[in-house]
């Protein structure tokens, strides 16, 4: 009888196709990227926030393996479009990190196994695809043309930005993405009172104006509360953790600013942080934690 009212539900959604290295057949293959959502329901009501994960289905050996984070892929190609693309084109479009890795393994051999080059690339690989990473990669590819001081400086910058990227993702989990629903609950109550107590002589037009005014006030209150939460998070979480890990805050701002916009419904934990980046920078400047020249300008 219990099973009738409570059950675990697993929902599988096909997101598209990517090029990935299959750990089972050890080949570069077209893989179907899937999203799995697991949760418990009682009378069709969700008990808690469901857990979400992604997996890949290799089209060669038909076996699944855990997928990398969604931000790792530059794009996800629809299944019907992937049929018309060659594997090399699919690799370049969906998984440029893997394409770079294959190319750079050849270059490492050509460079005689330079350990600093290999270490810089391994660190750079941990960052998500973006303009900042692409610029660093372009400079890394010119390693054989760089003088010794330039190689040392490039390696230092890549290491610093990689650590900043890791810190940004770590602190983003506690970022106040919403101020809650209290302002809108209050607005709904005020709007209801407006509809009840506005004299009939004024008609529905004035009642509608009053209701809209309540919603506008609720939006303003929500923005104010969210801004205060972001300021508190910046002072109490971001600044202390950056100091404890000795990560430069201007590098943290640079990697957050490099995050692209939302796409394909894939979740990115840094999108809410980037949306409030102006407020964060304002607080950091007020606290004297940012230099006059942003780190991104150095690239």
């Amino acid at each position: 009888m219990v099973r009738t009212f409570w059950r675990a539900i697993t929902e599988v959604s096909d997101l598209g196709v990517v090029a990935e290295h299959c750990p089972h057949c050890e080949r570069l293959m077209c893989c179907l990227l899937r999203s799995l959502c697991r949760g418990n329901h009682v009378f069709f009501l969700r008990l808690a926030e469901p857990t979400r994960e992604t997996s890949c289905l290799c089209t060669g050996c038909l076996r699944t393996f855990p997928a990398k984070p969604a931000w790792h892929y530059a794009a996800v190609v629809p299944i019907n479009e992937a049929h018309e693309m060659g594997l090399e084109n699919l690799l370049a479009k969906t998984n440029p990190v893997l394409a770079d890795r294959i190319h750079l393994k050849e270059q490492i051999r050509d460079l005689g196994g330079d350990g600093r080059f290999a270490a810089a690339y391994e660190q750079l690989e941990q960052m998500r695809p973006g303009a900042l990473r692409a610029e660093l990669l372009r400079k890394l590819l010119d390693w054989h043309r760089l003088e010794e001081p330039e190689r040392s400086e490039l390696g230092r910058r890549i290491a610093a930005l990689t650590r900043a990227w890791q810190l940004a993702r770590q602190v983003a989990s506690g970022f106040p993405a919403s101020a809650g629903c209290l302002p809108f609950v209050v607005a709904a109550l005020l709007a209801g009172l407006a509809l009840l107590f506005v004299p009939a002589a004024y008609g529905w037009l004035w009642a509608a104006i009053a209701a809209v005014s309540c919603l506008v006030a609720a939006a303003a209150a929500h923005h104010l509360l969210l801004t205060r939460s972001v300021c508190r998070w910046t002072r109490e979480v971001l600044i202390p953790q950056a100091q404890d890990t000795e990560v430069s805050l201007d590098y943290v701002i640079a990697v957050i600013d490099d995050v692209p916009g939302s796409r394909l419904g894939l979740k990115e934990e840094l999108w809410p942080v980037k949306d409030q980046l102006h407020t964060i920078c304002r607080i950091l400047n007020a606290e004297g934690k940012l230099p006059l020249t942003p780190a991104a300008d150095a690239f």
Side-chain angles (χ1 to χ4, degrees), residues 97-111 117 121-122 124 133 137 140-141:
V97 173
L98 181 57
D100 295 337
R101 184 191 307 161
I102 295 173
H103 176 69
L104 288 176
K105 283 183 178 179
E106 300 175 355
Q107 188 168 0
I108 291 173
R109 290 194 296 266
D110 296 338
L111 290 170
F117 177 87
Y121 172 69
E122 290 297 328
L124 188 59
R133 181 186 178 278
L137 179 60
L140 191 60
L141 291 175

Side-chain angles (χ1 to χ4, degrees), residues 29-32 57-63:
M29 296 297 299
C30 299
C31 296
L32 182 61
L57 172 65
C58 176
T59 58
C61 64
L62 300 180
R63 298 175 68 181

Side-chain angles (χ1 to χ4, degrees), residues 66-140:
K68 294 181 176 64
W71 54 261
H72 179 88
Y73 301 104
V76 179
V77 177
I79 297 177
N80 56 351
E81 182 180 337
H83 286 306
E84 303 175 357
M85 300 178 63
L87 183 58
E88 292 298 325
N89 292 332
L90 183 66
L91 176 64
K93 183 172 183 178
T94 64
N95 201 346
V97 173
L98 181 57
D100 295 337
R101 184 191 307 161
I102 295 173
H103 176 69
L104 288 176
K105 283 183 178 179
E106 300 175 355
Q107 188 168 0
I108 291 173
R109 290 194 296 266
D110 296 338
L111 290 170
D114 191 324
R116 292 175 303 170
F117 177 87
Y121 172 69
E122 290 297 328
Q123 292 172 336
L124 188 59
E125 191 181 36
Q126 299 176 34
M127 295 179 61
R128 67 164 299 147
L132 186 57
R133 181 186 178 278
E135 178 62 19
L136 291 170
L137 179 60
R138 184 189 65 79
K139 292 186 177 183
L140 191 60

Side-chain angles (χ1 to χ4, degrees), residues 176-192:
S178 174
C181 60
L182 180 60
F184 293 98
V185 172
V186 174
L189 293 175
L190 293 177

Side-chain angles (χ1 to χ4, degrees), residues 282-294:
R282 178 171 57 83
I283 298 302
L284 293 178
N285 282 316
E287 297 288 333
K289 300 298 182 180
L290 285 182
L292 296 178
T293 303

